[in-house]
């Protein structure tokens, strides 16, 4: 899938967490022992960074100055690149709600969709719902309904992909029922439970929980099928045989 650039604008509600920028322009925890200047990350960026999983330390392209909530950072996770700009759009930035985030996602549409889905799930609110609609429109040069469309199209795309993955596993489950032995029946009970958990997690907009439930269900399907079960057990046995033997080096010679 080809890469593209996806731009999303979000209303900030809270300035927390308070963090630090070290001397090299890297985002650090507030308890960073080597000092640094203060920065207020905001709830949107906090949600975005937590949804990325493993990623490089965010770097400040524009460091905060007197206004500790005005900044631009860059972060990368594998091939995915993200730029986030925080700035005031109303009332000289006297309150956290006077700020917005411009999010530029450079990657595949699937990547952008997952990020949008996870941000909204983490925030528990619609990021396009603004405190000062007129000022938000003026700053972003786009109407609110256009922002809503940009967000919801990506969110629905991610939701559709997750739902499709659930149905693929559910279809395999249905095909195996009645064709397994006693061990397989026990495994299929677990598969059914995990499919239900995945659907509930999707309803709750919890993408990581969906992935975990599907991973367990997929393993259960392998163990339920006598043909694939033997292959998996053989691989597990080979893995055990390849383990490096333990040598107690604490004993004196």
């Amino acid at each position: 899938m080809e890469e593209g650039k996806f731009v999303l604008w979000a209303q900030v509600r809270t300035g927390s967490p308070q963090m630090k920028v070290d001397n090299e322009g890297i985002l650090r925890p507030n308890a960073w022992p080597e000092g640094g200047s203060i920065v207020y990350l905001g709830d949107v960026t906090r949600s975005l960074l937590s949804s990325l999983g493993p990623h490089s330390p965010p770097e400040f392209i524009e460091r905060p100055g007197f206004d500790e909530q005005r900044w631009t950072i860059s972060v990368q996770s594998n091939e995915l690149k993200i730029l986030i700009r925080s700035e005031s759009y109303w009332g000289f930035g006297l309150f956290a709600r006077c700020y917005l985030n411009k999010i530029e996602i450079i990657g595949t549409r699937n990547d952008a969709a997952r990020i949008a889905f996870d941000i909204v799930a983490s925030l528990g609110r619609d990021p396009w719902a603004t405190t000062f609609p007129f000022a938000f429109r003026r700053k972003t040069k786009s109407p609110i309904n256009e922002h809503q469309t940009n967000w919801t199209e990506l969110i629905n795309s991610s939701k559709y992909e997750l739902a499709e993955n659930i149905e693929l596993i559910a279809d395999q489950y249905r095909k195996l029922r009645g064709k397994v032995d006693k061990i397989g029946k026990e495994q299929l009970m677990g598969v059914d439970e995990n499919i239900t958990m995945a659907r509930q997690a999707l309803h709750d907009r919890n993408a990581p929980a969906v992935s975990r439930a599907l991973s367990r269900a997929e393993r259960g399907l392998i163990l339920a099928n006598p043909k694939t079960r033997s292959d998996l057990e053989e691989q597990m046995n080979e893995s055990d045989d390849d383990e490096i033997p333990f040598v107690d080096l604490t004993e004196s010679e």
Side-chain angles (χ1 to χ4, degrees):
M1 186 175 291
E2 293 185 1
E3 285 192 351
K5 183 167 79 170
F6 304 86
V7 179
L8 298 170
W9 297 81
Q11 167 71 53
V12 176
R13 289 284 178 86
T14 63
S16 60
Q18 177 181 313
M19 301 186 74
K20 286 184 179 177
V21 186
D22 71 11
N23 294 331
E24 296 180 354
I26 304 297
L27 180 67
R28 300 295 186 184
N30 194 41
W32 183 248
E34 299 179 17
S37 56
I38 293 174
V39 59
Y40 288 97
L41 207 58
D43 55 344
V44 175
T45 300
R46 178 193 61 206
S47 297
L48 190 157
L49 293 179
S50 65
S51 72
L52 275 180
H55 59 268
S56 61
E59 299 183 30
F60 281 83
I61 297 174
E62 178 188 346
R63 301 193 192 194
F66 176 77
D67 185 345
E68 296 160 335
Q69 205 171 335
R70 179 185 174 88
W71 43 259
T72 304
I73 63 174
S74 170
V75 63
Q76 185 164 348
S77 176
N78 297 320
E79 300 301 317
L80 182 66
K81 299 177 182 178
I82 301 177
L83 290 175
I84 312 166
R85 176 167 178 78
S86 175
E87 61 181 318
S88 168
Y89 74 97
W90 177 257
F92 305 104
L94 296 177
F95 306 100
R97 289 172 180 257
C98 298
Y99 285 80
L100 55 72
N101 283 172
K102 179 183 180 182
I103 305 166
E104 296 183 39
I105 304 171
I106 302 170
T108 66
R109 182 175 179 81
N110 285 348
D111 287 334
R114 181 181 59 82
I115 292 296
F117 185 93
D118 288 346
I119 289 174
V120 173
S122 178
L123 285 175
R125 62 176 177 85
D126 297 331
W128 60 85
T130 67
T131 305
F132 308 103
F134 173 77
F136 198 93
R137 289 195 301 268
R138 183 178 59 188
K139 185 70 176 180
T140 63
K141 298 180 174 61
S142 297
I144 303 301
N145 61 351
E146 184 176 318
H147 292 301
Q148 180 177 355
T149 298
N150 292 338
W151 277 96
T152 54
E153 282 183 351
L154 289 176
I155 292 167
N156 290 337
S157 177
S158 180
K159 188 184 298 183
Y160 176 81
E161 182 183 7
L162 290 170
E164 194 174 50
N165 291 339
I166 293 173
E167 288 310 309
L168 285 173
I169 295 293
D171 185 54
Q172 294 179 48
Y173 163 76
R174 287 189 290 267
K175 288 178 179 178
L176 266 182
R177 282 192 306 181
K179 300 179 181 179
V180 296
D181 54 17
K182 183 178 179 181
I183 296 176
K185 289 180 180 178
E186 294 176 356
Q187 291 293 336
L188 286 183
M189 289 177 62
V191 171
D192 187 33
E193 291 175 0
N194 279 299
I195 290 172
T196 300
M197 291 174 65
R199 286 175 173 150
Q200 182 59 49
L202 179 59
H203 177 75
D204 296 337
R205 292 180 173 180
N206 190 338
V210 173
S211 298
R212 289 193 296 270
L214 290 183
S215 179
R216 293 191 299 268
E218 190 171 13
R219 178 180 172 83
L221 287 172
I222 294 173
L223 292 172
N225 189 330
K227 297 178 182 178
T228 55
R229 182 196 310 151
S230 58
D231 293 338
L232 180 60
E233 289 174 343
E234 184 178 341
Q235 292 176 17
M236 292 173 65
N237 290 333
E238 289 177 357
S239 177
D240 291 340
D241 293 340
D242 291 339
E243 286 185 0
I244 299 174
F246 172 74
V247 179
D248 188 356
L249 299 178
T250 62
E251 293 183 359
S252 58
E253 296 182 357

